[in-house]
Amino acid sequence: MSKDKELKEKVLKAQQEGDIASLYVLEQQAHDTFDEDALQGFYANILDLAFERLTQTLEEHTKMDMNEVQDFATLRALYEYAIEHYSAGKTQDAAALFEVLSGLSNDEKFSAALKLHWMAAQEKISFDDFLDKIADIEATQRAGTFYISEFQSEAQKLLDNLKYKGKKA
């Protein structure tokens, strides 16, 4: 069996099982093997599964557990989707996604970080300015999180400014 066919079977099996984590394990192989169209489909399937899990979590009034592999992978997929919107200049869409994500996890550090993302997008701070002035990318890389988790002192100014304006974080 060819590597391409074998990979497609693994991807299909993971999709049928709703196994987002396994799809992320196969991500590098997909990049090395699939053409651009197939790769777009690969990520679309991850996102579809993530939205199914999001809907289920919201309907059950529960929170996702960052220590549970499928919840972790779901949060990652939804975060990457929100970042795509933010980097494309769709600040309102990104803000809405960040707001939902900030309340979706039982991980306090993740929730607090996403609130900063949400506020920055809500204030229409460009993604580039967010990266340059609010996020601390080097510290985030050292922390090893899939999301921007470390911030510069400018982030506190954003919080203070919003409190001054009477907006709730």
Side-chain angles (χ1 to χ4, degrees):
M1 183 183 309
S2 73
K3 284 191 176 205
D4 185 42
K5 187 170 169 81
E6 189 178 314
L7 177 59
K8 284 180 180 173
E9 285 186 10
K10 286 180 185 176
V11 167
L12 183 61
K13 183 175 189 257
Q15 288 169 346
Q16 289 170 339
E17 293 173 356
D19 189 348
I20 299 170
S22 288
L23 290 171
Y24 272 118
V25 169
L26 297 170
E27 183 178 25
Q28 187 57 52
Q29 251 184 297
H31 270 276
D32 295 343
T33 307
F34 293 160
D35 64 21
E36 193 59 36
D37 288 342
L39 207 50
Q40 290 297 325
F42 177 81
Y43 283 111
N45 285 321
I46 288 176
L47 199 54
D48 288 346
L49 292 172
F51 277 119
E52 284 177 27
R53 289 184 58 84
L54 168 65
T55 302
Q56 180 183 8
T57 301
L58 293 173
E59 286 173 351
E60 293 172 357
H61 304 289
T62 59
K63 291 199 180 250
M64 291 193 175
D65 181 351
M66 196 69 92
N67 295 313
E68 201 279 313
V69 71
Q70 293 302 325
D71 285 355
F72 179 92
T74 300
L75 290 167
R76 176 182 165 186
L78 295 171
Y79 176 78
E80 289 171 354
Y81 183 65
I83 287 292
E84 272 182 46
H85 278 72
Y86 197 10
S87 67
K90 299 176 185 172
T91 54
Q92 284 186 306
D93 293 343
L97 289 163
F98 290 138
E99 182 179 15
V100 169
L101 286 171
S102 72
L104 197 59
S105 171
N106 67 354
D107 186 289
E108 289 179 26
K109 185 172 172 103
F110 178 78
S111 294
L114 272 284
K115 283 180 183 168
L116 278 168
H117 287 65
W118 167 44
M119 288 184 277
Q122 190 175 322
E123 290 297 302
K124 296 184 177 23
I125 294 170
S126 75
F127 185 63
D128 288 339
D129 284 348
F130 176 76
L131 292 177
D132 293 342
K133 299 175 182 169
I134 296 172
D136 186 335
I137 301 301
E138 287 181 22
T140 293
Q141 288 172 337
R142 284 192 300 276
T145 55
F146 68 83
Y147 60 95
I148 296 170
S149 60
E150 304 299 323
F151 300 91
Q152 300 176 43
S153 59
E154 196 68 28
Q156 188 58 51
K157 290 179 190 169
L158 176 66
L159 289 172
D160 294 343
N161 188 30
L162 289 173
K163 285 179 187 167
Y164 177 76
K165 287 181 177 178
K167 292 185 180 179
K168 197 171 183 184

